[in-house]
Amino acid sequence: MAKPIRITAFVAVLSAAVFSQAQSPDSAVVDRIKEEGLKHSQVMQTLSYLSDVIGPRLTGSPSLKRANEWTRDTMSKWGLQNAHLEAWGPFGRGWQLDRFSAQVIEPQAIPLIAYPKAWSPSVGRANNAEVVLVDAADEKELMKLKGTLKGKIVLSGGDKPVPARFTSQGTRYTDEELAAMTEPEAPRPRRNPGGPAGPAGANAGQRNNQMQNFRAQAALAAARLRFFMDEGVVAVLDGSRGDDGTIFVQSASVPPAPTPKTAVPATTNGDAAATAPMPRPTSVWDKSAPKTLPQITVSAEHYNRMVRMIKQGVKLKMSLDLKASFFNQDLMAYNTVAEIPGTDLKDQVVMVGGHMDSWHSGTGATDNGAGVAVAMEAARIIKALDLHPRRTIRVALWSGEEQGLFGSRAYVTEHLGSYPPPAPGAPMNFGGGPQANRGPLTKKAEWDKVSVYFNLDNGTGKIRGVYLQGNDKVGPIFADWLKPFHDMGATTVTIRNTGSTDHVSFDAVGVPGFQFIQDVIEYDSRTHHSNQDVYDRIQADDMKQASVIMASFLYNAAMRDEMLPRKPLNSGN
Ligand SMILES: [Zn+2]
């Protein structure tokens, strides 16, 4: 921190005026950024290559590695320097779908909209397998089926409601909604690990019930999978949420490891087992993950028809073909990093990024090819205009975001700082709230060199403003930077936090990390983690708008005299 300088009141007033002038965005440069980014944009071309040509980019997969290399080479071609891959990990094994089809063949042909969950093992060909419905409410009911499921394909769970829609699937924020966002957030109940956030105002009793319910559901799901495996089931199918043939697909599950005998004392009456912390499940991507069953998600409409036919007493037979490859040789994963070197303040860094990894049933256009393409485009615009930022601008494209912000966390740990690891069994903190307050922060070389990290990971929607993550000192600065974009719909600065993506990794160690407010468009209803996460659902004009705002924010942050102000580190650090 610079030494405070004593000055007279008069000089202070004068220099404040000069200072604020010098700090305001250079409007001629912003105009040039708009010209380049709106009229000569390459953002959709970048996104098309990433999503259409390279395709889905599951963490650990060969196509993610290809995306790492392609983004590195593309940014080098644009004139960025020091473009390279940074390994982190070990993450675990990669997975790739080689071949898949599923259809009912008896009593009539019903080709299914379906997709295997990531890291599902191969089935080979199951040509005439009987399809059975298992909708057991508890383990006791499940056990009644013992010895009946060998060689069968199981529909696990009942039908999924498909309510009609009476409102548009795509939405943009109204002025009223944006205005409401500038109010401080009402306190929210703690999020259950892995479960949905409880309703605002839920009391401790309700939360306890939710937690018990969640645990009971998780325990039943685990018991079900273990039972199906023991039975010798061919594959397990479930119905997706969503409609219009949209399916939402993430990772396959692995059966839990058998509870070690020492976990429950021999004298216990069983209560200890009920209150013991749930063991952290093994991840399906772990190299030593236990064997599991092929798991396939089917669109609600097709799944429901099969359920209804079986309930009508019809015998269904299915032809299933699933081949997948696992990659065990390189267990590391990679981030792509590239820079525009700064001038007089080149040791200081302004960062921008998005995550390159995606789920596998779409092409990762929304989540988060869009953010990657915008980060790259922002850097391309600055380079194309031959602007010479004072600070170094660094693009970082993450991996492992979908599995737990792993790539950005590893980067922050390596370059900026870290806290002692969490206690075993502690829930992961994906929230945008307080820093991980669990002991002293160990700072690394760049902790006081990185001014800011900007992230974009809410899909295709244009930027409507920015979340301050509780950092009120940057409020007036960002408000000023947004002014040239008011006529493009970006007006709102909110003190609120937003979480669940890579800026959290920076915020957690006290380095300013921000995520923009974006129009939702079809993020929740259709594209996020679904087979409809594809290029066609990306809005080109929104992407261009986001790119010019991102370029302008990067440039302004790189040019201002001071680094951006920080929040105080949590007490207790
Ligand atoms: Zn995601």
Side-chain angles (χ1 to χ4, degrees), residues 241-260:
R241 69 181 172 88
D243 57 8
D244 294 351
T246 299
I247 51 176
F248 296 82
V249 196
Q250 294 180 261
S251 298
S253 304
V254 287
T259 315

PDB file of all heavy atoms in Angstrom, residues 241-260:
ATOM      1  N   ARG A 241     -36.082 -33.808 -16.132  1.00  0.00           N
ATOM      2  CA  ARG A 241     -36.967 -32.652 -15.990  1.00  0.00           C
ATOM      3  C   ARG A 241     -36.959 -31.940 -17.339  1.00  0.00           C
ATOM      4  O   ARG A 241     -36.154 -32.255 -18.209  1.00  0.00           O
ATOM      5  CB  ARG A 241     -36.471 -31.735 -14.872  1.00  0.00           C
ATOM      6  CG  ARG A 241     -35.179 -31.018 -15.174  1.00  0.00           C
ATOM      7  CD  ARG A 241     -34.749 -30.144 -13.990  1.00  0.00           C
ATOM      8  NE  ARG A 241     -33.411 -29.609 -14.198  1.00  0.00           N
ATOM      9  CZ  ARG A 241     -33.158 -28.466 -14.833  1.00  0.00           C
ATOM     10  NH1 ARG A 241     -34.139 -27.745 -15.326  1.00  0.00           N
ATOM     11  NH2 ARG A 241     -31.913 -28.038 -14.978  1.00  0.00           N
ATOM     12  N   GLY A 242     -37.826 -30.985 -17.506  1.00  0.00           N
ATOM     13  CA  GLY A 242     -37.845 -30.254 -18.766  1.00  0.00           C
ATOM     14  C   GLY A 242     -38.889 -30.800 -19.709  1.00  0.00           C
ATOM     15  O   GLY A 242     -39.549 -31.801 -19.423  1.00  0.00           O
ATOM     16  N   ASP A 243     -39.027 -30.128 -20.840  1.00  0.00           N
ATOM     17  CA  ASP A 243     -40.042 -30.532 -21.811  1.00  0.00           C
ATOM     18  C   ASP A 243     -39.546 -30.243 -23.225  1.00  0.00           C
ATOM     19  O   ASP A 243     -38.381 -29.912 -23.420  1.00  0.00           O
ATOM     20  CB  ASP A 243     -41.369 -29.822 -21.526  1.00  0.00           C
ATOM     21  CG  ASP A 243     -41.228 -28.302 -21.533  1.00  0.00           C
ATOM     22  OD1 ASP A 243     -40.154 -27.804 -21.902  1.00  0.00           O
ATOM     23  OD2 ASP A 243     -42.189 -27.626 -21.163  1.00  0.00           O
ATOM     24  N   ASP A 244     -40.429 -30.415 -24.183  1.00  0.00           N
ATOM     25  CA  ASP A 244     -40.075 -30.195 -25.593  1.00  0.00           C
ATOM     26  C   ASP A 244     -38.884 -31.053 -26.019  1.00  0.00           C
ATOM     27  O   ASP A 244     -38.109 -30.656 -26.891  1.00  0.00           O
ATOM     28  CB  ASP A 244     -39.722 -28.727 -25.870  1.00  0.00           C
ATOM     29  CG  ASP A 244     -40.921 -27.809 -25.694  1.00  0.00           C
ATOM     30  OD1 ASP A 244     -42.036 -28.329 -25.531  1.00  0.00           O
ATOM     31  OD2 ASP A 244     -40.735 -26.578 -25.729  1.00  0.00           O
ATOM     32  N   GLY A 245     -38.736 -32.212 -25.410  1.00  0.00           N
ATOM     33  CA  GLY A 245     -37.615 -33.082 -25.796  1.00  0.00           C
ATOM     34  C   GLY A 245     -36.275 -32.630 -25.238  1.00  0.00           C
ATOM     35  O   GLY A 245     -35.246 -33.212 -25.548  1.00  0.00           O
ATOM     36  N   THR A 246     -36.293 -31.595 -24.419  1.00  0.00           N
ATOM     37  CA  THR A 246     -35.036 -31.134 -23.808  1.00  0.00           C
ATOM     38  C   THR A 246     -34.699 -32.050 -22.638  1.00  0.00           C
ATOM     39  O   THR A 246     -35.560 -32.373 -21.825  1.00  0.00           O
ATOM     40  CB  THR A 246     -35.193 -29.691 -23.298  1.00  0.00           C
ATOM     41  OG1 THR A 246     -35.496 -28.856 -24.416  1.00  0.00           O
ATOM     42  CG2 THR A 246     -33.927 -29.196 -22.631  1.00  0.00           C
ATOM     43  N   ILE A 247     -33.441 -32.491 -22.590  1.00  0.00           N
ATOM     44  CA  ILE A 247     -33.032 -33.301 -21.442  1.00  0.00           C
ATOM     45  C   ILE A 247     -31.835 -32.650 -20.754  1.00  0.00           C
ATOM     46  O   ILE A 247     -30.991 -32.040 -21.397  1.00  0.00           O
ATOM     47  CB  ILE A 247     -32.698 -34.758 -21.836  1.00  0.00           C
ATOM     48  CG1 ILE A 247     -31.711 -34.812 -22.996  1.00  0.00           C
ATOM     49  CG2 ILE A 247     -33.963 -35.522 -22.189  1.00  0.00           C
ATOM     50  CD1 ILE A 247     -31.294 -36.234 -23.340  1.00  0.00           C
ATOM     51  N   PHE A 248     -31.813 -32.798 -19.459  1.00  0.00           N
ATOM     52  CA  PHE A 248     -30.745 -32.229 -18.637  1.00  0.00           C
ATOM     53  C   PHE A 248     -29.913 -33.393 -18.106  1.00  0.00           C
ATOM     54  O   PHE A 248     -30.441 -34.260 -17.407  1.00  0.00           O
ATOM     55  CB  PHE A 248     -31.337 -31.421 -17.483  1.00  0.00           C
ATOM     56  CG  PHE A 248     -32.123 -30.221 -17.960  1.00  0.00           C
ATOM     57  CD1 PHE A 248     -33.442 -30.347 -18.379  1.00  0.00           C
ATOM     58  CD2 PHE A 248     -31.524 -28.972 -18.022  1.00  0.00           C
ATOM     59  CE1 PHE A 248     -34.165 -29.248 -18.836  1.00  0.00           C
ATOM     60  CE2 PHE A 248     -32.235 -27.869 -18.481  1.00  0.00           C
ATOM     61  CZ  PHE A 248     -33.559 -28.000 -18.891  1.00  0.00           C
ATOM     62  N   VAL A 249     -28.650 -33.429 -18.476  1.00  0.00           N
ATOM     63  CA  VAL A 249     -27.821 -34.605 -18.170  1.00  0.00           C
ATOM     64  C   VAL A 249     -26.482 -34.173 -17.590  1.00  0.00           C
ATOM     65  O   VAL A 249     -25.787 -33.353 -18.190  1.00  0.00           O
ATOM     66  CB  VAL A 249     -27.516 -35.434 -19.444  1.00  0.00           C
ATOM     67  CG1 VAL A 249     -27.025 -36.812 -19.059  1.00  0.00           C
ATOM     68  CG2 VAL A 249     -28.707 -35.522 -20.356  1.00  0.00           C
ATOM     69  N   GLN A 250     -26.102 -34.739 -16.464  1.00  0.00           N
ATOM     70  CA  GLN A 250     -24.778 -34.490 -15.891  1.00  0.00           C
ATOM     71  C   GLN A 250     -24.069 -35.823 -15.640  1.00  0.00           C
ATOM     72  O   GLN A 250     -24.092 -36.679 -16.517  1.00  0.00           O
ATOM     73  CB  GLN A 250     -24.907 -33.608 -14.647  1.00  0.00           C
ATOM     74  CG  GLN A 250     -25.408 -32.207 -15.024  1.00  0.00           C
ATOM     75  CD  GLN A 250     -25.568 -31.286 -13.840  1.00  0.00           C
ATOM     76  OE1 GLN A 250     -26.665 -31.094 -13.331  1.00  0.00           O
ATOM     77  NE2 GLN A 250     -24.485 -30.711 -13.371  1.00  0.00           N
ATOM     78  N   SER A 251     -23.482 -36.005 -14.471  1.00  0.00           N
ATOM     79  CA  SER A 251     -22.636 -37.183 -14.244  1.00  0.00           C
ATOM     80  C   SER A 251     -23.435 -38.405 -13.808  1.00  0.00           C
ATOM     81  O   SER A 251     -24.431 -38.278 -13.107  1.00  0.00           O
ATOM     82  CB  SER A 251     -21.644 -36.914 -13.108  1.00  0.00           C
ATOM     83  OG  SER A 251     -20.800 -35.874 -13.440  1.00  0.00           O
ATOM     84  N   ALA A 252     -22.918 -39.569 -14.152  1.00  0.00           N
ATOM     85  CA  ALA A 252     -23.408 -40.821 -13.585  1.00  0.00           C
ATOM     86  C   ALA A 252     -23.024 -40.871 -12.108  1.00  0.00           C
ATOM     87  O   ALA A 252     -22.106 -40.168 -11.665  1.00  0.00           O
ATOM     88  CB  ALA A 252     -22.801 -42.004 -14.326  1.00  0.00           C
ATOM     89  N   SER A 253     -23.725 -41.709 -11.361  1.00  0.00           N
ATOM     90  CA  SER A 253     -23.393 -41.909  -9.947  1.00  0.00           C
ATOM     91  C   SER A 253     -22.592 -43.190  -9.787  1.00  0.00           C
ATOM     92  O   SER A 253     -22.692 -44.096 -10.612  1.00  0.00           O
ATOM     93  CB  SER A 253     -24.662 -42.041  -9.116  1.00  0.00           C
ATOM     94  OG  SER A 253     -25.483 -40.916  -9.308  1.00  0.00           O
ATOM     95  N   VAL A 254     -21.849 -43.239  -8.708  1.00  0.00           N
ATOM     96  CA  VAL A 254     -21.183 -44.496  -8.358  1.00  0.00           C
ATOM     97  C   VAL A 254     -21.795 -44.992  -7.051  1.00  0.00           C
ATOM     98  O   VAL A 254     -22.252 -44.187  -6.232  1.00  0.00           O
ATOM     99  CB  VAL A 254     -19.652 -44.324  -8.174  1.00  0.00           C
ATOM    100  CG1 VAL A 254     -18.975 -44.120  -9.497  1.00  0.00           C
ATOM    101  CG2 VAL A 254     -19.332 -43.187  -7.223  1.00  0.00           C
ATOM    102  N   PRO A 255     -21.811 -46.311  -6.865  1.00  0.00           N
ATOM    103  CA  PRO A 255     -22.364 -46.814  -5.606  1.00  0.00           C
ATOM    104  C   PRO A 255     -21.444 -46.405  -4.459  1.00  0.00           C
ATOM    105  O   PRO A 255     -20.241 -46.264  -4.649  1.00  0.00           O
ATOM    106  CB  PRO A 255     -22.370 -48.328  -5.790  1.00  0.00           C
ATOM    107  CG  PRO A 255     -21.358 -48.588  -6.850  1.00  0.00           C
ATOM    108  CD  PRO A 255     -21.319 -47.382  -7.726  1.00  0.00           C
ATOM    109  N   PRO A 256     -22.002 -46.165  -3.278  1.00  0.00           N
ATOM    110  CA  PRO A 256     -21.157 -45.763  -2.157  1.00  0.00           C
ATOM    111  C   PRO A 256     -20.250 -46.911  -1.736  1.00  0.00           C
ATOM    112  O   PRO A 256     -20.621 -48.085  -1.897  1.00  0.00           O
ATOM    113  CB  PRO A 256     -22.167 -45.439  -1.057  1.00  0.00           C
ATOM    114  CG  PRO A 256     -23.395 -46.195  -1.430  1.00  0.00           C
ATOM    115  CD  PRO A 256     -23.404 -46.349  -2.921  1.00  0.00           C
ATOM    116  N   ALA A 257     -19.091 -46.554  -1.223  1.00  0.00           N
ATOM    117  CA  ALA A 257     -18.219 -47.593  -0.676  1.00  0.00           C
ATOM    118  C   ALA A 257     -18.924 -48.185   0.534  1.00  0.00           C
ATOM    119  O   ALA A 257     -19.618 -47.471   1.252  1.00  0.00           O
ATOM    120  CB  ALA A 257     -16.894 -46.969  -0.259  1.00  0.00           C
ATOM    121  N   PRO A 258     -18.759 -49.498   0.763  1.00  0.00           N
ATOM    122  CA  PRO A 258     -19.380 -50.081   1.958  1.00  0.00           C
ATOM    123  C   PRO A 258     -18.872 -49.356   3.202  1.00  0.00           C
ATOM    124  O   PRO A 258     -17.697 -49.011   3.281  1.00  0.00           O
ATOM    125  CB  PRO A 258     -18.903 -51.535   1.949  1.00  0.00           C
ATOM    126  CG  PRO A 258     -18.314 -51.772   0.591  1.00  0.00           C
ATOM    127  CD  PRO A 258     -17.954 -50.439   0.009  1.00  0.00           C
ATOM    128  N   THR A 259     -19.763 -49.083   4.163  1.00  0.00           N
ATOM    129  CA  THR A 259     -19.372 -48.361   5.379  1.00  0.00           C
ATOM    130  C   THR A 259     -18.346 -49.180   6.145  1.00  0.00           C
ATOM    131  O   THR A 259     -18.580 -50.365   6.408  1.00  0.00           O
ATOM    132  CB  THR A 259     -20.603 -48.150   6.282  1.00  0.00           C
ATOM    133  OG1 THR A 259     -21.666 -47.706   5.441  1.00  0.00           O
ATOM    134  CG2 THR A 259     -20.338 -47.127   7.359  1.00  0.00           C
ATOM    135  N   PRO A 260     -17.196 -48.560   6.504  1.00  0.00           N
ATOM    136  CA  PRO A 260     -16.205 -49.325   7.260  1.00  0.00           C
ATOM    137  C   PRO A 260     -16.804 -49.788   8.585  1.00  0.00           C
ATOM    138  O   PRO A 260     -17.562 -49.048   9.209  1.00  0.00           O
ATOM    139  CB  PRO A 260     -15.077 -48.323   7.494  1.00  0.00           C
ATOM    140  CG  PRO A 260     -15.414 -47.093   6.728  1.00  0.00           C
ATOM    141  CD  PRO A 260     -16.841 -47.187   6.285  1.00  0.00           C
TER     142      PRO A 260
END
